[in-house]
């Protein structure tokens, strides 16, 4: 079973930056999609950004131009660089993966809090 472990969350002031990491327990080459979702308190879990095995990226409109998703196959890690953070970016951020058979896995989540 795949294990995804997020790190890098924390408290930052508006306008600041954070970099989230998601380390997979095995090779990320088995995944055709990896990425990040977030869930604010009392709201549904929403897509933030994804990256395919062919390095095609997709972003939520709310983070375009501010967030960058990337992956390092050698390190079995996916990253989310978050710049120009806003208070509305406050949420628990979850790492996500889907393999070529369609099986999805989630990390345990990491809290990101942006103060105004």
């Amino acid at each position: 079973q795949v294990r995804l472990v997020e790190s890098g969350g924390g408290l930052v002031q508006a306008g600041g930056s954070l970099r989230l990491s998601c380390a997979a327990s095995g090779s990320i080459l088995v995944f055709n999609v990896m990425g990040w979702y977030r869930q604010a308190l009392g709201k549904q879990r929403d897509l933030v950004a994804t990256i395919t095995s062919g390095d095609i990226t997709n972003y939520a409109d709310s983070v375009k131009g501010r967030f960058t998703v990337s992956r390092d196959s050698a390190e079995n890690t996916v990253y989310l660089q978050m710049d120009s953070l806003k208070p509305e970016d406050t949420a628990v951020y979850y790492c996500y993966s889907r393999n070529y058979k369609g099986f999805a896995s989630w990390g345990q989540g990491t809290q990101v809090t942006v103060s105004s």
Side-chain angles (χ1 to χ4, degrees):
Q1 185 175 353
V2 173
R3 183 164 179 254
L4 303 173
V5 179
E6 302 99 333
S7 61
L11 173 64
V12 65
Q13 287 189 331
S17 298
L18 283 174
R19 188 193 196 201
L20 304 183
S21 300
C22 171
S25 57
S27 172
I28 66 173
L29 295 178
V30 301
F31 305 127
N32 64 342
V33 180
M34 294 191 74
W36 296 88
Y37 282 68
R38 68 186 180 187
Q39 187 168 18
L41 192 63
K43 297 188 177 181
Q44 67 181 21
R45 189 174 298 187
D46 292 325
L47 179 144
V48 176
T50 59
I51 184 168
T52 71
S53 57
D55 289 330
I56 297 172
T57 57
N58 180 49
Y59 296 92
D61 288 342
S62 59
V63 307
K64 282 180 180 176
R66 300 188 297 122
F67 291 11
T68 303
V69 63
S70 62
R71 64 192 192 110
D72 185 333
S73 299
E75 297 292 330
N76 296 323
T77 301
V78 173
Y79 301 97
L80 184 68
Q81 177 67 41
M82 305 185 294
D83 299 317
S84 302
L85 282 160
K86 304 175 180 179
E88 51 263 43
D89 294 319
T90 295
V92 178
Y93 284 69
Y94 295 91
C95 183
Y96 164 84
S97 71
R98 190 180 74 231
N99 66 16
Y100 289 92
K101 295 182 179 180
F103 182 81
S105 298
W106 295 90
Q108 82 287 353
T110 185
Q111 176 71 45
V112 171
T113 303
V114 185
S115 63
S116 57

